[in-house]
Amino acid sequence: MNKGGVFIVSGPSGSGKDTVLAELFRNKPDLLFSISSITRAMRPGEREGDKYNFISREKFEDMIKNDELLEHNIFVGNYYGTPRKPVEKAVNEGKDIIIEVDVNGAAQIRQKLPEAVSIFIMPPSFAELKRRLVGRGTESEELIEKRLDSALGEIKRAAEYDYIIVNDSITAAADDIMSVILSSSFKTDRQKNIIDEVLSKC
Ligand code: ADP
Ligand code: 5GP
């Protein structure tokens, strides 16, 4: 069996990652999503275990100590991390998995898994990013300012990614991610088994 692909998705808060990924998962239900462990408070509408496991700082620090995380970072005062085991399991079972992380988390994953494919979701403009963050209405004005500050630094690092997808239209951006997933499934490093399989029967 060929190994599954790891797809890192980043982009500034408010660029539309969750919205575009929800559309992608509707079209591709066999795709897996890496559920992050985080210490920030739950937002209205969020559910435990959907996208995040909401845990205490103590529990998070235990996970770091026990080397249970593939990567972790502090974002606007809270810990965010990717549990290692579900990612390893997906790859070994030949399933594709999406890991949504910030730019620091993406850099850590690239070091550990150089074959991972990284995608940056870019807002059409900074003004539109601000409009979306304000329009989402989930953060205070102060937190929105902090997220916009962080967004500047993140956009400056977009060149570290394999692909940049502009989220102008939700459906087009989801289709673009689908194209990246499809084309990367044909990469030679994902097709090693077919070479052995064909040669074994000659
Ligand atoms: P992120 O997950 O990157 O923080 P969200 O998916 O929560 O961003 O999107 C932020 C806000 O922008 C939400 O209110 C969402 O409905 C809106 N949004 C997302 N994509 C688009 C788009 N292509 N056009 C207009 N609004 C969008
Ligand atoms: P939010 O609080 O808006 O859900 O997420 C804030 C930021 O944390 C986003 O940039 C998001 O991509 C990032 N993030 C989500 N999960 C993880 C994770 O497991 N690790 C890291 N490093 N960043 C994450």
Side-chain angles (χ1 to χ4, degrees):
M1 189 205 302
N2 286 326
K3 290 196 163 192
V6 172
F7 298 90
I8 303 169
V9 174
S10 306
S13 180
S15 59
K17 298 178 298 296
D18 282 1
T19 310
V20 171
L21 288 178
E23 175 70 14
L24 175 69
F25 281 102
R26 253 194 301 279
N27 298 333
K28 198 168 163 45
D30 57 326
L31 194 58
L32 300 181
F33 182 77
S34 159
I35 299 173
S36 299
S37 293
I38 69 168
T39 63
R40 84 154 156 70
M42 207 184 275
R43 285 185 195 134
E46 281 183 328
R47 275 191 320 202
E48 165 65 24
D50 238 359
K51 177 182 174 193
Y52 293 135
N53 288 134
F54 296 88
I55 65 172
S56 65
R57 292 186 82 86
E58 293 70 29
K59 174 93 198 321
F60 196 100
E61 282 163 2
D62 279 348
M63 290 179 85
I64 299 175
K65 254 187 257 151
N66 299 332
D67 196 26
E68 290 173 40
L69 297 172
L70 185 59
E71 63 73 39
H72 68 278
N73 191 38
I74 293 181
F75 179 83
V76 190
N78 287 299
Y79 279 123
Y80 291 72
T82 305
R84 175 196 305 283
K85 281 210 179 117
V87 177
E88 289 173 351
K89 184 167 182 281
V91 170
N92 291 331
E93 290 177 354
K95 295 176 180 154
D96 293 337
I97 187 163
I98 299 267
I99 311 181
E100 194 207 307
V101 289
D102 72 331
V103 287
N104 291 307
Q108 292 174 51
I109 297 175
R110 273 190 215 99
Q111 292 242 313
K112 291 185 182 158
L113 304 174
E115 66 281 12
V117 174
S118 59
I119 303 168
F120 191 91
I121 306 290
M122 184 72 88
S125 68
F126 206 76
E128 173 64 12
L129 178 68
K130 189 168 181 180
R131 257 195 301 279
R132 287 183 189 173
L133 263 182
V134 172
R136 189 170 69 187
T138 50
E139 268 94 8
S140 64
E141 213 171 293
E142 186 200 345
L143 275 181
I144 289 177
E145 281 312 314
K146 284 191 178 156
R147 280 169 183 257
L148 286 172
D149 254 11
S150 169
L152 271 182
E154 291 176 64
I155 291 170
K156 284 181 188 155
R157 292 181 61 183
E160 294 172 19
Y161 286 72
D162 297 314
Y163 299 92
I164 296 176
I165 290 176
V166 178
N167 174 22
D168 207 340
S169 137
I170 297 164
T171 49
D175 284 350
D176 292 343
I177 300 182
M178 187 87 103
S179 305
V180 169
I181 293 175
L182 182 65
S183 60
S184 84
S185 72
F186 300 117
K187 283 180 84 173
T188 307
D189 68 352
R190 298 268 312 276
Q191 299 274 33
K192 292 271 160 61
N193 287 3
I194 190 70
I195 303 176
D196 295 340
E197 209 178 299
V198 170
L199 287 179
S200 72
K201 290 177 193 146
C202 65

